Amino acid sequence: MATKLETETLIEVLRDADRIAVLTGAGISAESGIPTFRDKNGLWKKFRPEELATPTAFNQNPRLVWEWYDWRRGIIAQKEPNPGHKVLARWEKIFPALSLITQNIDGLHQKAGSRNILELHGNIWKLRCTKEGTITENYETPLKDIPPLCSGCGAILRPHVVWFGESLSSTILQKAFLLSSQCEVMFVVGTSAVVQPAASLPFEASEAGAKIVEINPDPTPLSPYIDFSFRGKAGEILPLIDKDLKRKSTAQKE
Ligand code: APR
């Protein structure tokens, strides 16, 4: 856990930094009541990703896959951003160039007011036509039709998310690596840092000279390589760092 001195050093680093990148994972939404994937009560402890989150699974049984996504949409629709999401939305206004790179598909960063977001793994509120590729937003919970069909061509719609075995959008990925290589500080919040290519972004940043800050109650494969480690919950740690940041900027003005 970062000591008081380390936190003060981090605040100094942040005050001198212009370009900040934040990589988030399911852990930042845990305090909002959305299950993570790999924690003890995580989704992948209860469900088999190969049956629910692969293109093969969808082709074999689109109804089963859609019932699962409809269930997740139902949960997420009732959840609100927590203080962790809100601090990042505030930082977007106070730091000249803050980039939020998320693995989350829940849309809670947007709900908290963040705007400059790169969604690496898509968004559960977006549907994509399997024939035309058109993407539409849909917030129906529960979905009227399972599987939902394209209003244009009648083909099955799929969740606009990245499944295992699928590539990420090359445009989004290139931008994520570029922002990582240009940032001066990267926060890595609530990710187990095991899923590629997202898990490589902190190394891209570190190799380019950025300071890496990890916020996670548990250690990850990234932990040995970071500069500032906060062992705790994002919804508690981010407000603490933000408070120190505010206090420092007020002190400077006086
Ligand atoms: N605050 C911060 N971190 C937390 C909190 C919290 N309140 N609660 C749990 N965590 C941490 C866990 O310790 C764990 O390291 O969040 C991490 C969640 O890890 P995963 O469940 O593996 O989620 P994530 O890293 O986002 O998964 C990456 O895998 O399943 C795919 O596409 C899916 O985007 C997802 C990707």
Side-chain angles (χ1 to χ4, degrees):
M1 177 67 168
T3 62
K4 192 159 179 358
L5 178 61
E6 282 174 328
T7 307
E8 280 174 9
T9 315
L10 172 60
I11 299 300
E12 283 310 314
V13 169
L14 285 174
R15 289 179 51 70
D16 299 339
D18 289 332
R19 295 183 305 281
I20 301 198
V22 182
L23 174 66
T24 64
I28 195 166
S29 295
E31 292 152 272
S32 295
I34 299 178
T36 65
F37 295 95
R38 293 172 186 80
D39 285 329
K40 64 180 180 340
N41 301 318
L43 290 172
W44 298 146
K45 293 284 185 303
K46 298 187 191 117
F47 302 99
R48 297 160 51 84
E50 59 276 16
E51 283 174 12
L52 296 164
T54 66
T56 316
F58 186 73
N59 294 335
Q60 279 164 0
N61 193 341
R63 168 170 289 279
L64 176 69
V65 171
W66 263 119
E67 279 164 357
W68 189 63
Y69 276 90
D70 193 38
W71 169 75
R72 289 179 65 192
R73 287 162 54 103
I75 290 173
I76 296 169
Q78 295 158 24
K79 306 304 182 190
E80 294 301 325
N82 64 60
H85 297 104
K86 293 175 182 162
V87 164
L88 296 178
R90 187 184 100 78
W91 286 4
E92 195 178 88
K93 299 185 181 73
I94 63 166
F95 288 108
L98 182 129
S99 313
L100 182 48
I101 305 167
T102 189
Q103 298 170 83
N104 300 347
I105 63 173
D106 57 28
L108 287 191
H109 284 304
Q110 288 89 336
K111 215 172 177 180
S114 289
R115 289 294 164 264
N116 187 11
I117 306 169
L118 272 184
E119 292 178 308
L120 295 176
H121 297 159
N123 186 303
I124 203 168
W125 303 113
K126 291 180 179 170
L127 281 54
R128 188 166 84 231
C129 174
T130 53
K131 190 159 166 240
E132 301 167 320
T134 42
I135 297 162
T136 47
E137 284 195 8
N138 173 311
Y139 292 89
E140 255 176 26
T141 52
L143 281 163
K144 211 164 56 283
D145 304 315
I146 294 236
L149 303 178
C150 175
S151 56
C153 71
I156 288 186
L157 298 174
R158 57 161 283 174
H160 182 55
V161 298
V162 179
W163 283 325
F164 291 103
E166 291 188 319
S167 310
L168 279 62
S169 143
S170 55
T171 319
I172 291 177
L173 195 55
Q174 275 164 18
K175 192 155 183 217
F177 272 92
L178 182 66
L179 291 168
S180 301
S181 67
Q182 293 173 336
C183 70
E184 294 150 282
V185 181
M186 175 178 272
F187 282 83
V188 183
V189 184
T191 180
S192 56
V194 296
V195 173
Q196 295 295 352
S200 298
L201 295 171
F203 292 98
E204 182 80 11
S206 179
E207 274 148 35
K211 295 291 180 203
I212 311 296
V213 184
E214 185 178 50
I215 301 176
N216 195 317
D218 298 325
T220 72
L222 180 68
S223 303
Y225 307 95
I226 52 116
D227 303 287
F228 300 93
S229 164
F230 293 87
R231 279 277 160 271
K233 298 180 173 181
E236 295 165 6
I237 300 284
L238 283 166
L240 286 177
I241 297 173
D242 190 43
K243 210 168 75 201
D244 284 350
L245 209 50
K246 280 180 194 156
R247 195 180 28 234
K248 197 81 187 185
S249 48
T250 321
Q252 292 280 346
K253 286 200 195 90
E254 282 157 7

